[in-house]
Amino acid sequence: MNYRFLCCLLLVSTYLLAKPTPARLFSDHVVLQRQKPIPVWGWASPKEEVTVTLAGQNRKVKTSSDGKWLVTFAPLEAGGPHDLTIRAKSGEVAIHDVLIGEVWLCSGQSNMEFRVDQADNYTAEKRNANFPQIRHFYVAHELALTPEQDLKKGEWTVCSSETVGGFTAVGFFFARELTQKLNVPVGLLHSSWGGSQLEGWLSKEGMLKNDELRTYAQHLPTTWAEVDSLMDQKLKKQLLGSVHQLTRDDEKKYLAADYDFANWRKADPLGQWAWKDMRGFKGEGYMARVIDIPADMAGKPTTLGLAQNDSPNQVYINGKLVNEGVLEGIRTIELPANTWQPGENRLVVKFGSVVKPAWFGMGVQGSPSELYVASGPDRISLAGEWRLMPAFAEPHSYTKFMNNVGTTIYNSMIAPLIPFAIRGTLWYQGESNAGRAYQYRQSFPLLITDWRTKWGQNGKPDDFSFYFVQLASYGADQSSNKGSGWAELREAQTQTLKLPKTGMAVTTDVGNPKDIHPTNKQDVGHRLALQALKQDFGQNIAYSSPMFESVTFEDGKAIVTFSQVDKGLVAKDKYGYLKGFEVAGADKLFHYAKAEIDGNKVIVYHPNGQKPVAVRYAWADSPIEANLVNSAGLPANPFRTDDWPGLTLKAKFE
């Protein structure tokens, strides 16, 4: 009986494997690109004939030796719904509710991943989200060391009040404007990953074409064990300055009263340490802090609060073990009088492996208020910055972290999408590359060219449109004398506009200096839609921010000329004051400047008459005071007229 049952299972499994299977993108509710050839592909039995039908077109093809098939339909105009059918001797598959319209790949990091239910006015947006012609496909986070053939999961979701909350916010607001103004379906193919660096989205072949990335691409690891070994070397070098093997005896020195842990990673211990610039380290570790204890508290019994962590812990104060074991829940340790010494004390906590939840890895859970030293009403907060160090001498591993190895996001989240027909790409990324902004001048255009090449057919690149979001305001509004990696990244993004069929949405005015994830995604989507409506669909609209064109210096003033001013330049200020400009003389020291609008020009000068040789505008991480816009309300693009070396000149991807 069991033998016959197993035979039946084997037959069923063989049939299921042989049945024609389209790539996962081709599922119910899919949107296919109008006005371009439509590739459709999948798998069936090797050397089997497959017939694929769409909108009255039939295509026959014989699968390759590995069972893959691909057909291409002639371009179609917007419409539907249609059925897409795949037939072979081994079976038949039907895909329903297929629309023909506009397809846009939405990619980047967390500001692209940011959902509609996180954006401004979600209650109203949800209530008014009846757009069944907008569909969204979310590509799940995966990593791979070589290109994947297909996605492991995913489906097309029809937009409604119940579903819109999970859509990419930037993508949805872009799609809404397109479908309202063009009256066509829009498909959003959403493949993004919060915190990801650009290099993870590049293919190996793309890297090999770049002088600075070629060596890296030539030495990519081929197994995850090799990745762990590589991460060990990089993290040791990053934290310890060398890659030598550490023993348990080496790490026992961390517990000594005179050990100097000042060079350990500075971080808040709350949360998963794997995400605190630890490259996904998963194992045991240490956290340490110098605490100043008043003399009257040192002579009394105290309570040490260490928040929540249920791993085996050892707690040392000034080199002496004061507590050991597992404490579940909010941990409070009662210490006798004179455990602390008056003045400076060194507290070191060694963590074993976390038990519940095991996936959490190193780190402390709970709230900042649960980290403290107290005696009666007296309380010293231990919230904030500690020093952290992994235990390299203990067994450990590395989470498959999106930024540990270049190309790994491309392999799993872009390669399986090729050659799905798209009109263009929307890209919101750069925060994680701001420390290497000069290199972004090469890597960002390289990515665009790489993807267009990969999507191309018969040796000819697909010149799909590529529109991107410039970094919003976040952080300090420092002067140019301090420099700004974010300003340099914006400059690199601006330089990328030299590539054909590119466009940029400037968003310095809709950022949040205190939140790297600004919630106004409506304006971001709108500004991207302006690019598409003008460049792809020929609408006669103002679509670009004012762009620096030229500068002349005369009579102690700088005369800056702009393009894309629409009907003129405007100071967005109720008093009419223009802000955000700086000038520098031959000494290269910048001063905040006065500025006045004159047609499509701005006259900039030092208030004390210093002769300028360079002008900068909105050159800061968060230039929230910059207020030059065109008559369409689009903010002027940040710029500088000099080419003096910046903060990130020598920073390279490793």
Side-chain angles (χ1 to χ4, degrees):
M1 177 69 78
N2 288 339
Y3 175 77
R4 295 170 79 179
F5 179 71
L6 289 173
C7 286
C8 289
L9 277 180
L10 182 60
L11 287 171
V12 171
S13 299
T14 302
Y15 173 78
L16 289 175
L17 287 172
K19 186 178 180 181
T21 304
R24 188 170 289 275
L25 288 173
F26 301 102
S27 58
D28 290 351
H29 315 304
V30 61
V31 181
L32 302 176
Q33 178 61 47
R34 65 173 177 157
Q35 301 169 342
K36 294 179 73 170
I38 302 172
V40 179
W41 69 95
W43 296 266
S45 296
K47 303 300 181 181
E48 183 177 25
E49 186 173 86
V50 176
T51 301
V52 190
T53 303
L54 172 67
Q57 299 186 46
N58 292 296
R59 297 289 186 268
K60 289 186 178 182
V61 65
K62 185 171 285 188
T63 65
S64 60
S65 57
D66 64 358
K68 187 169 184 179
W69 54 266
L70 182 148
V71 300
T72 302
F73 292 101
L76 295 168
E77 289 301 321
H82 303 286
D83 284 345
L84 174 66
T85 59
I86 302 112
R87 297 184 181 90
K89 286 184 178 180
S90 54
E92 179 178 329
V93 175
I95 298 160
H96 305 293
D97 190 29
V98 177
L99 298 183
I100 311 299
E102 290 296 310
V103 182
W104 292 82
L105 171 60
C106 305
S107 192
Q109 55 183 107
S110 54
N111 273 303
M112 182 60 79
E113 196 168 11
F114 195 93
R115 303 183 309 272
V116 174
D117 62 10
Q118 299 171 294
D120 286 348
N121 306 316
Y122 171 57
T123 300
E125 299 292 6
K126 178 180 179 180
R127 185 172 58 248
N128 300 310
N130 183 30
F131 294 97
Q133 64 273 61
I134 297 177
R135 281 92 186 276
H136 180 272
F137 188 105
Y138 175 71
V139 177
H141 292 173
E142 297 281 351
L143 297 172
L145 297 176
T146 55
E148 295 283 335
Q149 292 294 308
D150 199 10
L151 300 171
K152 294 182 174 65
K153 53 186 175 181
E155 61 185 8
W156 287 92
T157 302
V158 178
C159 181
S160 69
S161 294
E162 289 70 36
T163 63
V164 72
F167 286 24
T168 161
V170 168
F172 170 71
F173 296 125
F174 169 88
R176 183 176 65 184
E177 187 156 350
L178 257 60
T179 197
Q180 289 175 328
K181 293 185 176 178
L182 303 176
N183 194 29
V184 297
V186 179
L188 299 172
L189 186 49
H190 177 200
S191 183
S192 65
W193 196 327
S196 59
Q197 301 171 0
L198 178 141
E199 291 81 4
W201 296 95
L202 272 168
S203 74
K204 179 179 179 179
E205 294 76 16
M207 282 192 172
L208 288 170
K209 295 177 181 178
N210 179 267
D211 290 342
E212 292 186 4
L213 296 174
R214 184 177 300 114
T215 300
Y216 180 90
Q218 290 171 338
H219 297 89
L220 283 167
T222 58
T223 68
W224 288 107
E226 289 181 21
V227 173
D228 280 4
S229 177
L230 180 64
M231 291 308 101
D232 231 35
Q233 294 179 40
K234 287 187 174 182
L235 189 57
K236 285 179 182 177
K237 184 177 180 181
Q238 178 182 329
L239 296 179
L240 302 168
S242 67
V243 297
H244 69 277
Q245 188 68 31
L246 289 171
T247 67
R248 287 188 172 94
D249 286 339
D250 291 328
E251 293 186 348
K252 282 182 180 178
K253 297 175 184 177
Y254 298 167
L255 309 173
D258 59 351
Y259 184 80
D260 183 8
F261 45 73
N263 292 325
W264 289 9
R265 166 69 58 236
K266 296 179 182 179
D268 185 334
L270 291 171
Q272 291 177 275
W273 294 2
W275 290 84
K276 297 180 185 293
D277 204 14
M278 294 283 193
R279 299 183 180 270
F281 182 95
K282 198 170 184 181
E284 303 181 12
Y286 303 82
M287 75 179 197
R289 181 168 177 148
V290 174
I291 306 170
D292 191 54
I293 301 293
D296 59 341
M297 183 182 285
K300 299 176 183 177
T302 56
T303 300
L304 174 62
L306 291 176
Q308 303 173 49
N309 178 294
D310 73 347
S311 71
N313 280 193
Q314 295 176 345
V315 182
Y316 291 81
I317 296 176
N318 299 322
K320 181 180 178 181
L321 180 66
V322 299
N323 188 269
E324 185 173 18
V326 177
L327 292 175
E328 294 187 3
I330 300 174
R331 299 175 299 167
T332 56
I333 301 171
E334 301 300 327
L335 301 173
N338 300 313
T339 300
W340 306 94
Q341 62 189 20
E344 187 176 281
N345 292 262
R346 306 174 77 78
L347 170 63
V348 180
V349 182
K350 181 183 179 183
F351 294 100
S353 296
V354 171
V355 178
K356 292 185 297 186
W359 57 262
F360 190 81
M362 285 194 307
V364 176
Q365 301 176 68
S367 69
S369 64
E370 295 165 2
L371 291 166
Y372 63 90
V373 177
S375 176
D378 299 322
R379 187 182 185 96
I380 299 172
S381 173
L382 302 183
E385 189 177 276
W386 287 63
R387 297 292 191 275
L388 313 180
M389 177 62 69
F392 290 106
E394 302 294 343
H396 61 277
S397 62
Y398 288 84
T399 301
K400 289 183 179 179
F401 201 53
M402 75 284 186
N403 288 334
N404 278 356
V405 183
T407 79
T408 51
I409 309 177
Y410 168 85
N411 289 337
S412 54
M413 296 177 63
I414 296 297
L417 313 182
I418 300 169
F420 194 82
I422 60 175
R423 176 71 71 185
T425 292
L426 307 179
W427 176 261
Y428 195 159
Q429 192 276 339
E431 296 92 339
S432 292
N433 279 77
R436 300 192 302 279
Y438 267 75
Q439 194 174 39
Y440 206 78
R441 298 179 179 189
Q442 299 180 43
S443 58
F444 187 29
L446 178 66
L447 178 135
I448 298 172
T449 302
D450 182 33
W451 286 12
R452 286 174 170 173
T453 300
K454 290 293 187 180
W455 251 272
Q457 299 291 320
N458 303 317
K460 182 180 178 181
D462 185 336
D463 62 345
F464 56 73
S465 299
F466 200 106
Y467 303 137
F468 48 93
V469 182
Q470 193 183 69
L471 290 189
S473 294
Y474 172 69
D477 185 21
Q478 70 276 37
S479 75
S480 286
N481 295 320
K482 296 179 180 178
S484 167
W486 279 51
E488 291 172 18
L489 196 286
R490 294 187 191 105
E491 181 177 54
Q493 292 174 312
T494 302
Q495 292 180 3
T496 302
L497 292 172
K498 295 175 183 176
L499 288 182
K501 298 188 72 173
T502 56
M504 181 174 68
V506 176
T507 61
T508 47
D509 62 327
V510 293
N512 185 339
K514 297 182 179 180
D515 190 345
I516 202 169
H517 303 119
T519 54
N520 179 358
K521 293 296 191 280
Q522 287 87 342
D523 279 326
V524 181
H526 167 65
R527 291 172 190 178
L528 289 171
L530 292 177
Q531 295 285 337
L533 290 169
K534 173 67 176 182
Q535 299 201 63
D536 292 282
F537 309 113
Q539 294 195 359
N540 185 23
I541 56 174
Y543 71 101
S544 171
S545 286
M547 305 295 292
F548 166 76
E549 191 170 79
S550 64
V551 63
T552 58
F553 297 96
E554 55 186 63
D555 299 327
K557 295 181 179 180
I559 304 170
V560 182
T561 303
F562 290 86
S563 62
Q564 301 293 344
V565 300
D566 194 31
K567 297 182 177 68
L569 295 172
V570 180
K572 195 175 181 181
D573 180 86
K574 64 181 180 180
Y575 299 111
Y577 293 124
L578 196 53
K579 304 172 186 176
F581 285 90
E582 298 172 89
V583 292
D587 58 4
K588 298 184 180 181
L589 293 177
F590 281 89
H591 305 272
Y592 295 118
K594 290 188 175 181
E596 300 168 356
I597 295 171
D598 181 14
N600 68 337
K601 298 180 174 63
V602 173
I603 314 301
V604 188
Y605 54 97
H606 188 279
N608 295 329
Q610 181 178 352
K611 183 179 180 181
V613 300
V615 179
R616 292 184 179 182
Y617 173 74
W619 199 263
D621 289 359
S622 185
I624 55 175
E625 291 189 348
N627 65 347
L628 178 65
V629 301
N630 62 18
S631 58
L634 298 173
N637 183 48
F639 69 90
R640 60 174 176 158
T641 65
D642 63 273
D643 60 357
W644 300 333
L647 294 178
T648 66
L649 179 62
K650 297 181 180 180
K652 307 296 181 185
F653 176 72
E654 295 180 354

